[in-house]
């Protein structure tokens, strides 16, 4: 005890100040969440501070599993999003993702910030198809261009509804996955016909919003 006090007195007399280095902890990213459209699953987050020097690491895991795994393409990245479509592709599973920030300037890191639980099956939003209308002598030919990612993922489960509106009435036509053309015949002349389309995933009872309205007049 006498030696410790003597050492402290000597350091004080010499004017030496010993300061312990305490690592600075960054605040974690906020608003960590998935945004999924047509099974393209993108994790987004908000930076904890306004700094261009921050980088981010992203990890993921299956719900119920203890092990977190790195997202290989999302290590030490500077952007505020990460595409997890490949690792979260199983529609039967639920997933979590987490992200942390670190600064190469101060060598400090944040705690991990975790997303809410995510299901690609239930949480993805479905896009409506695009419509192209051609007028012929017989009527109107409706061509449907579906979302490419959706067709690639769901194949034969993708169907479409075509809404035909005219003179205060609405008719609904259905198309299966393998059809991309619908011919509307026996139409009245000099009448404006308006159409919308909707994507339907039958096995999941999911549907998109209707597409924007397109109108033509059959002369």
């Amino acid at each position: 005890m006498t030696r410790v006090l003597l050492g402290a007195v000597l350091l004080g007399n010499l004017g030496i100040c010993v300061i312990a280095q305490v690592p600075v902890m960054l605040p974690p990213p906020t608003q960590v969440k998935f945004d999924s459209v047509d099974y393209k699953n993108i994790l987004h987050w908000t930076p904890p501070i306004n700094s261009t020097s921050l980088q981010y690491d992203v990890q993921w895991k299956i719900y119920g599993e203890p092990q977190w795994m790195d997202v290989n393409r999302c290590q030490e990245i500077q952007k505020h999003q990460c595409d997890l479509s490949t690792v979260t592709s199983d529609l039967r599973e639920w997933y979590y993702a987490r992200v942390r920030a670190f600064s190469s300037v101060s060598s400090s890191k944040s705690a991990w910030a975790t997303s809410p639980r995510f299901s690609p099956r239930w949480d993805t939003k479905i896009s409506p198809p695009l419509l192209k209308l051609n007028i012929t002598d017989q009527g109107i030919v409706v061509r449907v261009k579906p979302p490419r990612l959706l067709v690639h993922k769901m194949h034969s489960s993708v169907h479409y509804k075509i809404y035909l509106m005219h003179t205060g009435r609405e008719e609904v036509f259905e198309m299966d996955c393998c059809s991309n053309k619908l011919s509307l015949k026996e139409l009245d002349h000099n009448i404006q016909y308006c159409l919308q389309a909707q994507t339907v995933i039958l096995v999941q009872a999911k549907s998109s919003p209707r597409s924007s309205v397109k109108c033509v007049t059959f002369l």
Side-chain angles (χ1 to χ4, degrees):
M1 182 67 178
T2 303
R3 291 179 181 177
V4 173
L5 291 175
L6 179 59
V9 171
L10 289 174
L11 287 174
N13 291 336
L14 292 173
I16 298 174
C17 181
V18 179
I19 301 175
Q21 291 287 338
V22 178
V24 177
M25 193 75 171
L26 281 174
T30 59
Q31 298 179 324
V32 181
K33 60 183 179 180
F34 279 91
D35 183 17
S36 178
V37 178
D38 298 331
Y39 304 100
K40 187 175 180 66
N41 310 324
I42 309 295
L43 185 73
H44 294 267
W45 60 88
T46 300
I49 58 175
N50 186 16
S51 173
T52 57
S53 67
L54 291 185
Q55 294 177 303
Y56 303 93
D57 294 328
V58 180
Q59 294 184 331
W60 70 282
K61 74 170 186 173
I62 296 174
Y63 170 67
E65 296 290 334
Q67 184 67 37
W68 287 93
M69 291 164 283
D70 290 342
V71 182
N72 293 331
R73 291 178 295 178
C74 296
Q75 301 297 303
E76 300 182 7
I77 60 173
Q78 291 186 307
K79 58 186 179 180
H80 306 145
Q81 64 180 47
C82 172
D83 187 346
L84 276 75
S85 302
T86 301
V87 297
T88 59
S89 62
D90 191 337
L91 302 183
R92 299 167 298 178
E93 298 289 357
W94 292 77
Y95 300 93
Y96 287 106
R98 66 181 185 178
V99 58
R100 71 177 175 187
F102 67 92
S103 171
S104 57
V105 176
S106 62
S107 299
S108 55
K109 294 182 179 181
S110 75
W112 290 98
T114 304
S115 72
R117 190 170 62 169
F118 168 74
S119 164
R121 173 172 182 171
W122 301 113
D123 295 336
T124 199
K125 304 177 187 71
I126 304 300
S127 299
L130 299 177
L131 281 181
K132 183 177 180 181
L133 308 179
N134 292 323
I135 299 177
T136 67
D137 293 337
Q138 290 75 36
I140 300 172
V141 177
V142 182
R143 285 184 168 84
V144 175
K145 184 179 180 181
R148 185 176 61 180
L149 287 173
L150 183 62
V151 172
H152 177 74
K153 183 72 177 179
M154 299 305 296
H155 304 292
S156 60
S157 297
V158 180
H159 288 65
Y160 313 102
K161 287 186 177 181
I162 307 298
Y163 298 87
L164 176 66
M165 296 157 284
H166 60 98
T167 60
R169 294 185 298 161
E170 180 177 87
E171 300 178 62
V172 182
F173 300 87
E174 296 189 359
M175 300 171 61
D176 63 27
C177 66
C178 302
S179 302
N180 63 357
K181 185 174 72 172
L182 174 68
S183 296
L184 302 174
K185 300 179 179 180
E186 300 181 2
L187 303 178
D188 295 329
H189 292 274
N190 299 316
I191 296 293
Q192 185 183 64
Y193 291 89
C194 294
L195 294 103
Q196 289 179 295
Q198 184 180 40
T199 307
V200 179
I201 311 296
L202 293 178
V203 294
Q204 296 180 9
K206 292 175 72 76
S207 60
S208 73
R210 293 191 188 189
S211 66
S212 57
V213 178
K214 285 197 170 184
C215 297
V216 295
T217 299
F218 185 60
L219 300 177

